[in-house]
Amino acid sequence: MRRLIIGGAATIVAVGALAYFQRDAIAVALIKFDTSRQKVLSNQAIDWTATAALDASPDTASGDRPPNVILILADDLGINDISAFGGGVAGGRVPTPAIDALAQRGASFTQAYAGTASCAPSRAMILTGRYPTRTGFEFTPTPPGMGRIVSTLANSQRKTGPRVDWNRALAETVPEFDQQGLPSEEVTIAEVLKDRGYRTIHIGKWHLGSGPEFGPNAQGFDQSLVMASGLHLAEDDPNAVNAKLDFDPIDRFLWARMRFAASYNNSPWFEPGGYLADYWTDEAIAAIDAHRDTPFFLSLAHWAVHTPLQATREDYEAVGDIEPHRLRVYAAMVRALDRSVARIIEKLEADGILENTLIIFTSDNGGAGYIGLNDVNAPYRGWKLTFFEGGIRVPMFFHWPARIPAGITIDHPVAQIDLMPTIARAADAKIPESIAIDGVDLIDYMTTTADLAPPHSAIFWQSGYYRVVRQGDWKLQTTERPKKVWLFNLATDPTEQVNVAEDNPAKVGELQALIEQHQRGARAALYPFTIEAPTLVDRTMVEGYTPDDEYVYWPN
């Protein structure tokens, strides 16, 4: 009996030890098992003509037709990933001629900023023209268990990883994932244009709430084809070239959690009809074809170049022998994104409607350091999940041959909150007077030679206790973890190399007062942040941490 007891105890200890040392693999396996239970139907055809027959308002008669509007939004695209500013992914080996052409034949804002350094709040600011201080939509919704799993994986790989606030995460006041969305009472540009007689279509990533009351159809879009889960192509597709980032806990979670799936107007999940960038472009072209006789607003929100890193074999071969493998896959994804823009332009040209179509191209934030590629935001410091320039500097190009002259460059700082009022002005659409808009209409800056005053007296960013303001050339960053203040003069130090806070206490106080004023009367966040992710400023995740590295914690 004693031997049995000792043997049983030894077995339990051995199993427990095995489970401990294999806890990462077990956690990933459990996520995969849970995800596999979600049914994904076969591909379904989309009828984009479903709303085309609706009567246009008298204001959109052919003699007085406002422009079509196409907003093309990339995901996590680094400012140096496009060749328009003289850079380009992989040292310029993979140019982006179609994206560049939008700048060359239209207007380019050389100091354009994302709404924030992560995806969902930026998207909310684009649609509403309002800061989180008004909407309360401050943090990016994350799938169930993501914070816990990423924290577990990170802390087993290195000493310093994300911190999860379990009191907050488990609080009853935190809504379920599908209820973490932009409130439907917010007025979006889709709703404003719909009142003007536009047909409104959203294709691609949404991430502003997955419940029906938060989705595109609840926010002014007549039709929506959205990414239901986040693979660009089925992992085992023979045409897929995958690059898994074992050093990145987020990537490991995504490969375990994500499926290759789409949804149309809140339908059950079904399999997309090809690699996402190409499939969404196919459907965007079909939507343009269905609505070319009526003013339309098309929001084309790409998932590229967000992880998981996946490319088609054709694009992977086309970019050549780039090393390392993940950079080659990433470069191939950029190639696919540029091809999408080229195909949209070709379609508009073939239909004879390019002249009176306003195309806007931008990215939701800067490139991510967790993909382990050093130059995506060059020459700027920082990454996604930081408010250094690399995390928030984005391309912003406007192409509208009927109104905007070719080759216009505007050096004033602008932000994505400006897109909503700018689009409304272009369409001669009315924003309700009861809605306070933080953005500024930029049409005059692109269509007149007059010397106009800067659009903004100051631009603000925030994520929890991490808050930033830019006024003129001065930029102040303040955070509680680590407790630190950075002050930069972007006129003399555009890449934020020298922190001059100690030498300019009066300027620090002045800008800090602006942040405090911006926060007065602010709407509280709709739900609290539950995780704080340490993010290096100057090194990628693959290079690891050293005691001398500058870093910030990103609350989400």
Side-chain angles (χ1 to χ4, degrees):
M1 176 62 73
R2 187 172 174 223
R3 287 182 178 177
L4 286 175
I5 293 173
I6 293 174
T11 301
I12 292 171
V13 170
V15 169
L18 180 64
Y20 177 79
F21 288 109
Q22 296 294 319
R23 62 192 183 279
D24 290 4
I26 292 170
V28 169
L30 288 173
I31 297 170
K32 283 187 174 181
F33 172 75
D34 183 61
T35 302
S36 67
R37 295 183 296 173
Q38 170 68 52
K39 189 174 183 180
V40 179
L41 305 176
S42 59
N43 178 251
Q44 72 174 61
I46 309 298
D47 180 13
W48 294 108
T49 66
T51 61
L54 295 175
D55 291 335
S57 73
D59 289 340
T60 63
S62 59
D64 185 29
R65 175 169 169 165
N68 308 307
V69 180
I70 300 178
L71 172 62
I72 303 175
L73 182 62
D75 198 317
D76 288 4
L77 187 71
I79 194 75
N80 194 47
D81 287 336
I82 57 174
S83 44
F85 297 122
V89 70
R93 289 181 60 180
V94 184
T96 51
I99 296 171
D100 297 353
L102 296 178
Q104 294 160 358
R105 301 172 191 166
S108 171
F109 286 85
T110 62
Q111 297 192 72
Y113 288 102
T116 189
S118 65
C119 51
S122 281
R123 293 162 192 270
M125 282 182 257
I126 288 171
L127 287 180
T128 65
R130 286 154 59 89
Y131 284 122
T133 47
R134 297 192 192 277
T135 66
F137 194 81
E138 187 170 347
F139 305 114
T140 293
T142 53
M146 181 174 180
R148 175 175 54 82
I149 296 298
V150 169
S151 177
T152 298
L153 296 176
N155 285 312
S156 69
Q157 290 177 226
R158 57 181 186 264
K159 292 182 180 179
T160 304
R163 294 161 48 96
V164 177
D165 187 324
W166 292 110
N167 291 329
R168 290 185 177 190
L170 299 177
E172 293 182 1
T173 55
V174 177
E176 296 294 329
F177 173 62
D178 63 354
Q179 298 298 303
Q180 294 179 20
L182 181 69
S184 58
E185 62 264 23
E186 290 292 333
V187 175
T188 70
I189 187 58
E191 292 169 308
V192 169
L193 293 181
K194 191 170 181 177
D195 288 344
R196 176 74 168 94
Y198 278 68
R199 302 285 77 81
T200 54
I201 307 111
H202 178 83
I203 296 176
K205 180 176 177 177
W206 180 245
H207 212 166
L208 296 174
S210 55
E213 66 271 39
F214 298 106
N217 300 104
Q219 296 285 13
F221 289 97
D222 297 316
Q223 294 171 287
S224 67
L225 173 63
V226 300
M227 178 181 74
S229 195
L231 291 183
H232 297 268
L233 200 58
E235 182 179 348
D236 58 356
D237 190 298
N239 193 38
V241 180
N242 305 318
K244 295 188 176 182
L245 312 177
D246 291 337
F247 54 82
D248 175 24
I250 295 175
D251 191 67
R252 294 178 66 187
F253 174 83
L254 292 178
W255 280 105
R257 175 70 164 72
M258 296 301 185
R259 304 285 298 279
F260 183 50
S263 173
Y264 171 72
N265 284 359
N266 301 311
S267 73
W269 290 11
F270 61 86
E271 188 172 287
Y275 183 69
L276 276 189
D278 294 323
Y279 169 63
W280 284 342
T281 306
D282 292 341
E283 295 299 339
I285 288 171
I288 292 170
D289 200 51
H291 297 285
R292 61 186 173 185
D293 295 328
T294 306
F296 62 81
F297 171 48
L298 169 62
S299 168
L300 177 54
H302 279 289
W303 183 222
V305 286
H306 198 294
T307 52
L309 299 184
Q310 293 181 284
T312 64
R313 193 159 298 281
E314 178 186 358
D315 285 327
Y316 183 78
E317 296 298 332
V319 299
D321 57 347
I322 295 170
E323 295 289 345
H325 172 69
R326 65 180 179 276
L327 177 57
R328 185 172 175 179
V329 173
Y330 187 86
M333 295 174 76
V334 172
R335 183 176 190 265
L337 180 66
D338 190 68
R339 177 173 61 248
S340 171
V341 174
R343 292 181 62 204
I344 295 295
I345 293 172
E346 289 167 5
K347 172 61 177 172
L348 296 170
E349 204 162 25
D351 285 356
I353 57 176
L354 178 63
E355 183 79 7
N356 197 33
T357 298
L358 170 60
I359 305 173
I360 303 169
F361 180 88
T362 189
S363 177
D364 61 352
N365 47 250
Y370 52 71
I371 60 176
L373 301 176
N374 288 291
D375 296 329
V376 293
N377 298 323
Y380 301 108
R381 293 181 74 191
W383 316 96
K384 173 185 179 180
L385 309 186
T386 81
F387 287 134
F388 283 80
E389 295 288 284
I392 51 178
R393 277 278 186 125
V394 292
M396 191 183 290
F397 306 146
F398 292 76
H399 181 274
W400 185 11
R403 285 288 308 277
I404 299 174
I408 298 294
T409 58
I410 301 97
D411 296 328
H412 293 307
V414 297
Q416 288 177 342
I417 52 171
D418 300 327
L419 293 182
M420 194 269 205
T422 301
I423 293 171
R425 163 82 180 283
D428 194 23
K430 299 292 189 292
I431 300 172
E433 293 182 2
S434 60
I435 304 298
I437 300 295
D438 296 304
V440 175
D441 162 26
L442 301 176
I443 292 294
D444 288 344
Y445 292 88
M446 298 181 277
T447 58
T448 181
T449 58
D451 187 15
L452 302 175
H456 295 275
S457 61
I459 300 174
F460 299 90
W461 296 267
Q462 68 185 70
S463 186
Y465 48 72
Y466 186 14
R467 295 172 180 173
V468 179
V469 62
R470 175 172 177 174
Q471 184 185 50
D473 292 322
W474 290 99
K475 179 180 172 187
L476 180 74
Q477 300 192 54
T478 67
T479 184
E480 294 298 317
R481 297 203 61 227
K483 192 170 183 62
K484 190 161 183 179
V485 171
W486 291 272
L487 178 68
F488 300 104
N489 186 324
L490 298 180
T492 58
D493 183 19
T495 59
E496 298 173 298
Q497 300 298 318
V498 181
N499 183 3
V500 296
E502 288 188 6
D503 298 330
N504 295 272
K507 179 58 69 173
V508 169
E510 176 187 336
L511 296 179
Q512 181 64 54
L514 281 179
I515 293 176
E516 292 169 0
Q517 181 182 4
H518 181 68
Q519 293 295 324
R520 287 192 195 110
R523 181 174 182 176
L526 297 174
Y527 42 87
F529 66 83
T530 58
I531 187 170
E532 298 167 275
T535 306
L536 288 170
V537 175
D538 298 307
R539 292 154 62 90
T540 71
M541 183 174 285
V542 74
E543 296 166 294
Y545 295 73
T546 69
D548 296 329
D549 284 330
E550 283 202 280
Y551 66 95
V552 296
Y553 270 86
W554 181 263
N556 189 71

